[in-house]
Amino acid sequence: MISIPRSSKSVKIDMDYDVTIIGAGVGGVFAAHELAKIQERRKGMKPLNILLIDKGKRVEERFCPLDLGESCSCAACAKYIGFGGLGKSEGKFNYTNDFGGGLERKVGSENAMALMDEVDAVLCEYGGAAAADYSTENPVLTERARQAGLAVLTTRTRHLGSALSTVVLEKLQRYLLSRIILSFETDVAAIQLMEGGGFKLELDGAEGRRMLTTRKLVFATGRSGADWMAAQCQALGIGQDSVRVDLGLRVEMRGNQLDAILGETFETKLQYVGEDYMATTYCMNPSGRVIRKHQDGMVMPDGQNFREREGEGSANLNFTLFVPRYFDSMEAADSFARGIISGINRGGERIVAQRLEDLKLGRATEQGIMQQNRVKPTLQVDPGQLADEVPELYTKALLDFLAALERLLGEPIDEDTMVYGIDGKFYAPSIETNEALETRVPGLYAAGDCSGVTHSLSQAAASGIHVARQLARQLAGELPEVTGE
Ligand SMILES: Cc1cc2nc3c(=O)[nH]c(=O)nc-3n(C[C@H](O)[C@H](O)[C@H](O)COP(=O)(O)OP(=O)(O)OC[C@H]3O[C@@H](n4cnc5c(N)ncnc54)[C@H](O)[C@@H]3O)c2cc1C
């Protein structure tokens, strides 16, 4: 039993909490942080009671037993859930409206950028300034790319890397522990709408089952809480929209292949629009390696950069070319992606790869040929024939994109370039919210990726700040002892 409809009997509104946030990824953390800061600025006022709940652990306890050489029986990986959510992994904050979600459609493009600048200021306040920011803006390249049929998506980036991300999150967690209540390893078993407004929650955690009431509620459960969200939305009558899934081939090329366009920049993001698809590069790693990514029982080729670990890189550069597709439901989206990825994995960790020349000629890559390849694959894979294992859309998109890239570079892409099948990126369904990110249930907001509006750390965090401000405004109107900002 997950959700209960509106309570039939009248309940006296005697709130335990003014605001409860479910999910302590960056969406929830930045919402909680902003609310705590608003309180600080309102010295002398009655403090708001704020609760932040996560089903995962505190940041310092977030380890995968496999990484410690132990066995793992976790239902969900501590590397992905808990304080900071997915923000604990690479910590690459891209401050842009060009990609990473559609927050600008809700709050306006200038406001979205201003909110992202505030996210950056918070990161820097908690130690993030140790990683210098950089910009991928390059008007000359943008024009050359346009002539070649490509768009350059630009951003200002602060790439914390996993070590600094952890430091920043630990400091944020320390601050929040001194200002609000945090409840870890806690599930929300049931949500009940109360007569006259507010919510009654049933929590299930280390302290057993407990009930609480809250005046306002924020869902910030990310993609990992998508099934839970779907059940909540259905029970609360909140509509869910289409579900996006990006699949794409990962490319590993000579390290100097993109020198003509990378120049001073660490990476670039290019987009090609075909007749019936749009293809965008993702996670470009100069000197990086291709690694296996495990997600929901699927194994995919992912990229890892070695900026943090000098001497462990490679002579190659890798990136994925993602092509989005949209489905009517989570089940349809999952079944499509799982069908392709599990087919490649064959019940194990199998990843298939093919030389670019072989892909173009429609012939399988042989093991012997791969050993002589000038581009040495950084991941152990099964050489094979991608056309037999992935839908044509993805191979066609890659070949079209590489043809445009050759026009931009003014040189051919090395035929020994390796192509790996297949990487995936999964999204939460979009839900109905207004520009304040409030759902049709008054007082219930959605921040971060669970809203379907954001798909990146910076936009998820920015949406958290935005929601916190709307909440503070609403509460200022409802609670006589709390005045405006
Ligand atoms: C492997 C990987 C790497 C990525 N790297 C980057 C990157 O470098 N840069 C970038 O911009 N984007 C990156 N992304 C995307 C980015 O991480 C997300 O857009 C962002 O983390 C979303 O933040 P969030 O707070 O909405 O959700 P999340 O970070 O997913 O956090 C959600 C939190 O909610 C909790 N939760 C879920 N359900 C419940 C429930 N029912 N009860 C209680 N708690 C619950 C979870 O435990 C989790 O801690 C990456 C994504 C993946 C999968």
Side-chain angles (χ1 to χ4, degrees):
M1 229 286 294
I2 302 271
S3 226
I4 310 168
R6 187 178 289 275
S7 165
S8 53
K9 60 178 186 202
S10 167
V11 181
K12 186 172 167 280
I13 302 180
D14 182 10
M15 297 290 171
D16 286 321
Y17 291 95
D18 296 301
V19 180
T20 298
I21 302 166
I22 307 173
V26 291
V29 165
F30 275 73
H33 180 267
E34 180 61 17
L35 282 168
K37 286 286 177 185
I38 289 172
Q39 301 228 74
E40 266 184 27
R41 293 197 288 270
R42 292 170 170 171
K43 283 202 171 68
M45 301 294 168
K46 176 183 173 286
L48 296 174
N49 288 328
I50 302 162
L51 173 66
L52 178 58
I53 298 172
D54 201 284
K55 64 182 177 184
K57 298 182 176 178
R58 299 162 75 105
V59 66
E60 66 276 16
E61 293 169 1
R62 290 185 52 189
F63 295 106
C64 170
L66 292 176
D67 291 344
L68 304 174
E70 297 163 12
S71 63
C72 169
S73 56
C74 306
C77 184
K79 285 205 304 201
Y80 302 132
I81 64 162
F83 191 91
L86 289 164
K88 190 175 176 292
S89 40
E90 268 295 313
K92 188 174 187 181
F93 285 74
N94 293 313
Y95 306 116
T96 179
N97 288 322
D98 274 8
F99 56 90
L103 188 61
E104 66 170 335
R105 288 197 292 275
K106 290 284 180 187
V107 306
S109 55
E110 269 181 36
N111 195 17
M113 287 309 299
L115 286 164
M116 284 188 259
D117 285 345
E118 292 185 54
V119 169
D120 193 51
V122 172
L123 291 180
C124 290
E125 187 187 335
Y126 292 90
D133 63 341
Y134 59 87
S135 167
T136 63
E137 197 98 34
N138 183 335
V140 177
L141 174 64
T142 300
E143 178 51 25
R144 276 178 47 212
R146 194 190 60 74
Q147 287 171 16
L150 291 167
V152 180
L153 309 186
T154 59
T155 178
R156 180 169 76 87
T157 299
R158 194 173 301 276
H159 191 166
L160 302 179
S162 53
L164 186 57
S165 277
T166 305
V167 171
V168 171
L169 288 172
E170 279 173 352
K171 288 183 179 172
L172 268 165
Q173 183 183 265
R174 205 171 307 137
Y175 170 78
L176 288 179
L177 281 166
S178 72
R179 293 288 191 282
I180 67 166
I181 308 291
L182 283 90
S183 184
F184 293 102
E185 297 180 70
T186 302
D187 272 318
V188 178
I191 299 173
Q192 184 176 347
L193 298 183
M194 297 200 308
E195 206 64 42
F199 307 84
K200 192 181 268 186
L201 305 190
E202 189 178 330
L203 305 187
D204 198 3
E207 305 131 52
R209 288 226 156 195
R210 63 195 162 108
M211 302 286 288
L212 62 87
T213 61
T214 185
R215 205 174 283 273
K216 307 288 174 199
L217 184 60
V218 182
F219 288 163
T221 47
R223 170 65 174 69
S224 63
D227 291 338
W228 180 89
M229 269 283 286
Q232 300 303 327
C233 287
Q234 197 178 13
L236 297 167
I238 301 166
Q240 287 196 302
D241 229 353
S242 61
V243 186
R244 173 176 168 178
V245 173
D246 292 359
L247 291 184
L249 298 165
R250 188 159 274 269
V251 178
E252 186 167 39
M253 45 177 49
R254 272 195 343 249
N256 61 359
Q257 180 83 74
L258 300 188
D259 279 3
I261 57 170
L262 284 185
E264 311 280 288
T265 341
F266 173 62
E267 70 157 285
T268 190
K269 206 172 186 69
L270 299 168
Q271 192 169 74
Y272 179 84
V273 180
E275 248 174 51
D276 51 358
Y277 66 84
M278 193 165 76
T280 310
T281 62
Y282 172 79
C283 185
M284 185 174 281
N285 298 294
S287 311
R289 291 180 169 275
V290 181
I291 57 165
R292 281 186 166 75
K293 167 169 80 181
H294 295 79
Q295 202 174 329
D296 299 330
M298 295 176 280
V299 186
M300 293 161 271
D302 192 11
Q304 194 172 54
N305 88 75
F306 283 83
R307 289 211 306 173
E308 283 188 281
R309 293 150 76 173
E310 237 167 83
E312 289 182 47
S314 78
N316 300 342
L317 172 150
N318 68 72
F319 63 87
T320 289
L321 187 76
F322 272 135
V323 181
R325 280 197 60 181
Y326 296 85
F327 297 85
D328 289 340
S329 66
M330 285 274 291
E331 294 74 42
D334 273 357
S335 142
F336 172 77
R338 201 171 283 281
I340 299 167
I341 298 167
S342 303
I344 293 172
N345 295 161
R346 296 185 184 165
E349 298 200 321
R350 178 177 176 273
I351 284 170
V352 61
Q354 192 172 16
R355 291 175 59 250
L356 179 60
E357 182 186 31
D358 296 338
L359 176 64
K360 284 181 180 168
L361 295 174
R363 70 181 181 206
T365 295
E366 308 286 344
Q367 187 74 50
I369 292 185
M370 260 207 354
Q371 279 157 6
Q372 301 153 20
N373 217 43
R374 284 189 306 277
V375 178
K376 298 284 173 227
T378 52
L379 183 71
Q380 246 194 338
V381 286
D382 264 19
Q385 169 90 289
L386 284 162
D388 293 343
E389 310 202 35
V390 305
E392 193 191 354
L393 170 68
Y394 302 103
T395 49
K396 178 176 175 3
L398 181 69
L399 294 177
D400 290 349
F401 167 80
L402 291 178
L405 186 58
E406 286 182 339
R407 290 196 292 276
L408 172 60
L409 294 171
E411 62 175 273
I413 306 288
D414 196 319
E415 292 183 330
D416 279 349
T417 294
M418 294 301 303
V419 185
Y420 298 80
I422 194 169
D423 194 1
K425 192 162 187 252
F426 304 90
Y427 297 82
S430 325
I431 63 168
E432 285 172 2
T433 52
N434 62 17
E435 60 288 349
L437 293 174
E438 188 175 17
T439 67
R440 59 188 296 171
V441 176
L444 174 60
Y445 290 76
D449 285 15
C450 74
S451 65
V453 171
T454 72
H455 317 306
S456 60
L457 293 171
S458 53
Q459 292 204 20
S463 73
I465 296 178
H466 179 66
V467 163
R469 291 191 179 147
Q470 308 304 317
L471 281 167
R473 254 177 234 127
Q474 258 197 2
L475 286 165
E478 290 174 24
L479 300 175
E481 62 272 53
V482 179
T483 59
E485 282 166 67

